[in-house]
Amino acid sequence: MRRWTAVLTLIVLLAGCGGGEQVDPQAPAPVWQSAAPATPATPATPAALTPAEAKSRYLAIVAPYNTALEELEDAANAGKPWRTVRRLAADVARTNAAHAVELRETLWPAEVRAPMGALLKENDVALRHWRRAGEAADADALMREIRAAAARSGAREAGKIRTALGLPAYREG
């Protein structure tokens, strides 16, 4: 039990991607591309997000992943069976993969691009471990993969992104 609690507390603390701030899913989405019309000779080039748009977009993208991580931690801390934790690890893998796609497809402001690239590199490694955790054959394999994923959380990179966007340090929601 202590082993689960320690590992999962570490995961949530290291995750650092999202914000304790809540994002209203009903709020209108900011405009991600320039409004310049495309002409046959020159297709429109999407504009990078403004800092305000980037801040909102980042929080919206990472919210489901952070929620999945917190649910995993809660289940482990509550002493749920390892198969339950494995199912939640599979949810973390799914949300991790989805948020990586969205992070890659977004045209971030220049000051965010380098740390975002570094975060996505770490995320690629962590994702392999989250997927293995979601398919683990036993509790030991599950813990091994969760630890490996946590070791590649990208917390430092996410912290740099949050700083560049003017967001406070990640706080567990």
Side-chain angles (χ1 to χ4, degrees):
M1 176 64 178
R2 278 187 179 173
R3 174 172 77 167
W4 285 105
T5 303
V7 168
L8 292 170
T9 299
L10 175 67
I11 290 167
V12 172
L13 290 175
L14 291 178
C17 284
E21 299 89 8
Q22 296 297 317
V23 175
D24 181 4
Q26 303 299 325
V31 177
W32 305 124
Q33 297 181 344
S34 69
T39 63
T42 58
T45 303
L49 299 178
T50 66
E53 290 170 337
K55 182 187 239 182
S56 174
R57 180 76 175 140
Y58 181 75
L59 292 174
I61 290 172
V62 300
Y65 175 61
N66 288 322
T67 298
L69 281 171
E70 290 175 17
E71 288 173 358
L72 176 78
E73 180 189 23
D74 291 346
N77 287 342
K80 299 290 182 182
W82 75 269
R83 285 181 176 87
T84 299
V85 176
R86 177 181 63 189
R87 180 184 54 76
L88 293 169
D91 289 345
V92 169
R94 181 185 47 76
T95 58
N96 179 295
H99 103 293
V101 168
E102 290 185 67
L103 291 171
R104 277 190 174 88
E105 290 177 347
T106 301
L107 188 53
W108 299 102
E111 63 272 13
V112 177
R113 292 181 194 152
M116 185 63 70
L119 174 64
L120 288 166
K121 217 170 141 182
E122 287 294 297
N123 189 79
D124 289 344
V125 176
L127 179 56
R128 289 193 295 271
H129 293 291
W130 283 122
R131 286 181 172 147
R132 289 181 196 143
E135 299 170 351
D138 57 45
D140 289 336
L142 175 64
M143 288 302 298
R144 184 174 50 252
E145 294 303 332
I146 288 174
R147 282 189 196 105
R152 300 305 290 264
S153 70
R156 183 177 54 239
E157 295 81 3
K160 289 178 182 178
I161 291 167
R162 293 179 66 80
T163 298
L165 293 174
L167 291 166
Y170 176 75
R171 293 181 320 270
E172 188 175 337

PDB file of all heavy atoms in Angstrom, residues 13 17 41 47 58 68 85 98 106 129 151 161:
ATOM      1  N   LEU A  13       2.964  14.718  -8.682  1.00  0.00           N
ATOM      2  CA  LEU A  13       3.835  15.864  -8.458  1.00  0.00           C
ATOM      3  C   LEU A  13       4.736  16.115  -9.653  1.00  0.00           C
ATOM      4  O   LEU A  13       5.013  17.254 -10.005  1.00  0.00           O
ATOM      5  CB  LEU A  13       4.685  15.644  -7.208  1.00  0.00           C
ATOM      6  CG  LEU A  13       3.919  15.682  -5.895  1.00  0.00           C
ATOM      7  CD1 LEU A  13       4.839  15.320  -4.731  1.00  0.00           C
ATOM      8  CD2 LEU A  13       3.286  17.032  -5.668  1.00  0.00           C
ATOM      9  N   CYS A  17       2.051  19.009 -15.942  1.00  0.00           N
ATOM     10  CA  CYS A  17       1.618  19.533 -17.233  1.00  0.00           C
ATOM     11  C   CYS A  17       0.511  20.542 -17.096  1.00  0.00           C
ATOM     12  O   CYS A  17       0.540  21.589 -17.699  1.00  0.00           O
ATOM     13  CB  CYS A  17       1.133  18.407 -18.139  1.00  0.00           C
ATOM     14  SG  CYS A  17       2.472  17.465 -18.838  1.00  0.00           S
ATOM     15  N   ALA A  41      -3.023  30.460 -55.203  1.00  0.00           N
ATOM     16  CA  ALA A  41      -1.581  30.513 -55.354  1.00  0.00           C
ATOM     17  C   ALA A  41      -0.858  30.434 -54.020  1.00  0.00           C
ATOM     18  O   ALA A  41       0.232  29.899 -53.941  1.00  0.00           O
ATOM     19  CB  ALA A  41      -1.180  31.795 -56.080  1.00  0.00           C
ATOM     20  N   ALA A  47      -1.446  31.173 -38.110  1.00  0.00           N
ATOM     21  CA  ALA A  47      -0.684  32.071 -37.240  1.00  0.00           C
ATOM     22  C   ALA A  47      -0.421  31.374 -35.917  1.00  0.00           C
ATOM     23  O   ALA A  47      -1.227  30.576 -35.453  1.00  0.00           O
ATOM     24  CB  ALA A  47      -1.470  33.357 -37.008  1.00  0.00           C
ATOM     25  N   TYR A  58      -3.247  25.500 -23.786  1.00  0.00           N
ATOM     26  CA  TYR A  58      -2.416  24.566 -23.041  1.00  0.00           C
ATOM     27  C   TYR A  58      -3.196  23.936 -21.890  1.00  0.00           C
ATOM     28  O   TYR A  58      -3.216  22.714 -21.727  1.00  0.00           O
ATOM     29  CB  TYR A  58      -1.164  25.272 -22.518  1.00  0.00           C
ATOM     30  CG  TYR A  58      -0.242  24.368 -21.745  1.00  0.00           C
ATOM     31  CD1 TYR A  58       0.561  23.442 -22.399  1.00  0.00           C
ATOM     32  CD2 TYR A  58      -0.184  24.433 -20.356  1.00  0.00           C
ATOM     33  CE1 TYR A  58       1.407  22.609 -21.689  1.00  0.00           C
ATOM     34  CE2 TYR A  58       0.657  23.606 -19.644  1.00  0.00           C
ATOM     35  CZ  TYR A  58       1.454  22.694 -20.315  1.00  0.00           C
ATOM     36  OH  TYR A  58       2.282  21.859 -19.598  1.00  0.00           O
ATOM     37  N   ALA A  68      -6.826  12.199 -15.384  1.00  0.00           N
ATOM     38  CA  ALA A  68      -6.587  10.748 -15.397  1.00  0.00           C
ATOM     39  C   ALA A  68      -5.482  10.378 -14.416  1.00  0.00           C
ATOM     40  O   ALA A  68      -5.590   9.366 -13.696  1.00  0.00           O
ATOM     41  CB  ALA A  68      -6.251  10.285 -16.814  1.00  0.00           C
ATOM     42  N   VAL A  85      -6.278  -0.303 -10.859  1.00  0.00           N
ATOM     43  CA  VAL A  85      -5.211   0.657 -11.129  1.00  0.00           C
ATOM     44  C   VAL A  85      -4.697   0.460 -12.556  1.00  0.00           C
ATOM     45  O   VAL A  85      -4.416   1.434 -13.266  1.00  0.00           O
ATOM     46  CB  VAL A  85      -4.084   0.544 -10.085  1.00  0.00           C
ATOM     47  CG1 VAL A  85      -2.921   1.463 -10.414  1.00  0.00           C
ATOM     48  CG2 VAL A  85      -4.623   0.841  -8.681  1.00  0.00           C
ATOM     49  N   ALA A  98      -3.629  11.319 -26.549  1.00  0.00           N
ATOM     50  CA  ALA A  98      -4.494  12.350 -27.130  1.00  0.00           C
ATOM     51  C   ALA A  98      -3.917  13.741 -26.893  1.00  0.00           C
ATOM     52  O   ALA A  98      -3.915  14.580 -27.800  1.00  0.00           O
ATOM     53  CB  ALA A  98      -5.897  12.252 -26.532  1.00  0.00           C
ATOM     54  N   THR A 106      -0.665  22.085 -32.387  1.00  0.00           N
ATOM     55  CA  THR A 106      -0.885  23.491 -32.066  1.00  0.00           C
ATOM     56  C   THR A 106       0.353  24.301 -32.450  1.00  0.00           C
ATOM     57  O   THR A 106       1.478  23.886 -32.190  1.00  0.00           O
ATOM     58  CB  THR A 106      -1.179  23.638 -30.560  1.00  0.00           C
ATOM     59  OG1 THR A 106      -2.341  22.861 -30.250  1.00  0.00           O
ATOM     60  CG2 THR A 106      -1.420  25.088 -30.178  1.00  0.00           C
ATOM     61  N   HIS A 129       5.541   3.535 -21.620  1.00  0.00           N
ATOM     62  CA  HIS A 129       5.411   2.905 -20.298  1.00  0.00           C
ATOM     63  C   HIS A 129       3.966   2.931 -19.806  1.00  0.00           C
ATOM     64  O   HIS A 129       3.512   1.959 -19.181  1.00  0.00           O
ATOM     65  CB  HIS A 129       6.357   3.578 -19.298  1.00  0.00           C
ATOM     66  CG  HIS A 129       7.783   3.330 -19.625  1.00  0.00           C
ATOM     67  ND1 HIS A 129       8.386   2.095 -19.506  1.00  0.00           N
ATOM     68  CD2 HIS A 129       8.742   4.162 -20.110  1.00  0.00           C
ATOM     69  CE1 HIS A 129       9.642   2.169 -19.878  1.00  0.00           C
ATOM     70  NE2 HIS A 129       9.888   3.418 -20.251  1.00  0.00           N
ATOM     71  N   ALA A 151       9.276   8.566 -14.274  1.00  0.00           N
ATOM     72  CA  ALA A 151      10.643   9.044 -14.442  1.00  0.00           C
ATOM     73  C   ALA A 151      10.794   9.914 -15.690  1.00  0.00           C
ATOM     74  O   ALA A 151      11.728  10.701 -15.791  1.00  0.00           O
ATOM     75  CB  ALA A 151      11.613   7.866 -14.511  1.00  0.00           C
ATOM     76  N   ILE A 161       7.347  25.549 -19.825  1.00  0.00           N
ATOM     77  CA  ILE A 161       6.210  25.967 -20.644  1.00  0.00           C
ATOM     78  C   ILE A 161       5.290  26.860 -19.822  1.00  0.00           C
ATOM     79  O   ILE A 161       4.881  27.930 -20.265  1.00  0.00           O
ATOM     80  CB  ILE A 161       5.436  24.751 -21.180  1.00  0.00           C
ATOM     81  CG1 ILE A 161       6.287  23.998 -22.210  1.00  0.00           C
ATOM     82  CG2 ILE A 161       4.089  25.167 -21.781  1.00  0.00           C
ATOM     83  CD1 ILE A 161       5.762  22.613 -22.565  1.00  0.00           C
TER      84      ILE A 161
END
